[in-house]
Amino acid sequence: LLRAESDKGEAYLGEQITVSYKLYTRVNLRQYSVEKRPQGVGFWLEELYAPKQPALRDAQLEGVRYKVATLYKIALFPTTTGDLTLDPMILNCTIEVPSKSRVPSLLDDFFSDSFFKRTKQKIVRSEGLTLAVKPVPAESRPSDFTGAVGEFTLSSSLDTTSTEVNEAVSYVVELTGTGNLNLFQLKEPEFPDGLEVFKPKTSFENDPFRDQISGKKRWEYIVIPRKEGRFFIPKSELAYFNPEASEWKKTATGMAVLDVMP
């Protein structure tokens, strides 16, 4: 049997829900193929774990001994509220079937070798999941909230704080944290007049060793001052909702100062 196990049955809009698919078997499993992966309307889905050779281990389910392996693990981020349904996962399994002769003979042990055992196909499906998704609280919601749900930290840096007119500098904004990093926008920094700013180079580094979607988003701006003076790049802010603490929070960069010589 194939079981879908969710780490929570209720979540906030944008909060991660982790679902694991575990195959329990009491027969020898030769191979399997995925006929249909789980799908659902109203979710952003990120794959967390899909091994080519799943490891079987001993387990008990309702007092019965099985071999069990985790075949698939996903992170779901609800994009709408209400009762959302995740469709079943379907497998096509090739299993060994014991072949017993009617009259025992000395050849039984020989022909019981796995090479001579019969196999048959077995379609196995998980149960569908219904997940309750509630909106983030309206009370105390910041006016600049853009959908960030999780735990985040903003930082920024200049590669130099002193330069000359027409000499390029690099200004980097980094957002690190755990949550729906790819489902909201960060407001562009407000650069002062006198600085020519080019479209940023963006990158994302995911932490592959955690079940929670974690990582770092980076925006690198090339800035060229066109006149001398002292320039102040205001701080950038992000308002977000922390579902673990059920409270609103903010993170911000510091103010950057750039001195430009003639």
Side-chain angles (χ1 to χ4, degrees):
L1 64 148
L2 183 64
R3 288 172 62 96
E5 300 178 1
S6 173
D7 67 337
K8 55 178 72 78
E10 182 181 77
Y12 286 104
L13 181 70
E15 180 183 1
Q16 179 176 332
I17 303 168
T18 304
V19 182
S20 301
Y21 289 85
K22 297 181 179 180
L23 180 65
Y24 291 79
T25 178
R26 298 180 64 194
V27 297
N28 289 331
L29 177 67
R30 286 287 189 90
Q31 62 183 17
Y32 73 91
S33 61
V34 178
E35 293 287 310
K36 183 180 178 182
R37 296 190 184 277
Q39 297 176 343
V41 177
F43 296 107
W44 174 280
L45 188 151
E46 295 272 359
E47 187 177 280
L48 293 174
Y49 179 70
K52 292 183 179 179
Q53 295 292 334
L56 286 165
R57 58 181 177 83
D58 293 324
Q60 280 201 357
L61 183 64
E62 297 177 356
V64 180
R65 290 184 177 181
Y66 288 89
K67 293 288 187 180
V68 61
T70 300
L71 303 185
Y72 196 50
K73 189 178 292 185
I74 54 176
L76 302 174
F77 294 95
T79 57
T80 186
T81 57
D83 290 336
L84 305 183
T85 300
L86 184 65
D87 294 337
M89 182 178 183
I90 303 176
L91 300 179
N92 188 345
C93 299
T94 302
I95 62 173
E96 291 183 358
V97 180
S99 180
K100 295 183 179 179
S101 58
R102 294 180 180 178
V103 180
S105 72
L106 295 175
L107 296 178
D108 280 353
D109 288 340
F110 177 76
F111 284 106
S112 66
D113 185 82
S114 61
F115 182 81
F116 293 97
K117 286 184 178 178
R118 294 187 300 113
T119 63
K120 73 174 184 178
Q121 303 301 116
K122 180 77 172 178
I123 299 297
V124 184
R125 68 175 63 220
S126 70
E127 65 274 22
L129 292 179
T130 299
L131 304 165
V133 180
K134 54 189 177 182
V136 293
E139 184 179 357
S140 303
R141 182 187 302 176
S143 59
D144 56 347
F145 173 66
T146 59
V149 177
E151 182 65 39
F152 306 99
T153 301
L154 268 178
S155 63
S156 65
S157 62
L158 282 165
D159 64 346
T160 181
T161 58
S162 180
T163 188
E164 297 177 356
V165 173
N166 298 328
E167 289 292 330
V169 299
S170 170
Y171 178 69
V172 173
V173 177
E174 286 187 344
L175 174 66
T176 59
T178 299
N180 58 346
L181 283 155
N182 293 313
L183 294 179
F184 62 88
Q185 295 295 323
L186 189 66
K187 187 178 179 182
E188 289 275 336
E190 296 180 1
F191 294 95
D193 293 337
L195 300 180
E196 183 178 1
V197 182
F198 293 87
K199 187 177 179 180
K201 177 183 177 181
T202 61
S203 62
F204 176 64
E205 297 177 11
N206 185 35
D207 183 352
F209 300 107
R210 298 184 59 185
D211 285 347
Q212 296 292 314
I213 295 292
S214 301
K216 178 190 297 182
K217 295 191 77 171
R218 190 174 188 269
W219 296 263
E220 182 180 11
Y221 297 85
I222 300 302
V223 179
I224 301 178
R226 295 308 187 188
K227 62 181 181 180
E228 62 184 275
R230 172 166 285 186
F231 295 88
F232 298 91
I233 303 175
K235 63 182 181 180
S236 297
E237 292 186 335
L238 174 70
Y240 65 94
F241 181 70
N242 185 316
E244 297 296 328
S246 296
E247 63 183 18
W248 293 100
K249 293 186 176 182
K250 275 197 174 184
T251 180
T253 66
M255 177 182 289
V257 181
L258 179 64
D259 289 317
V260 181
M261 307 303 167

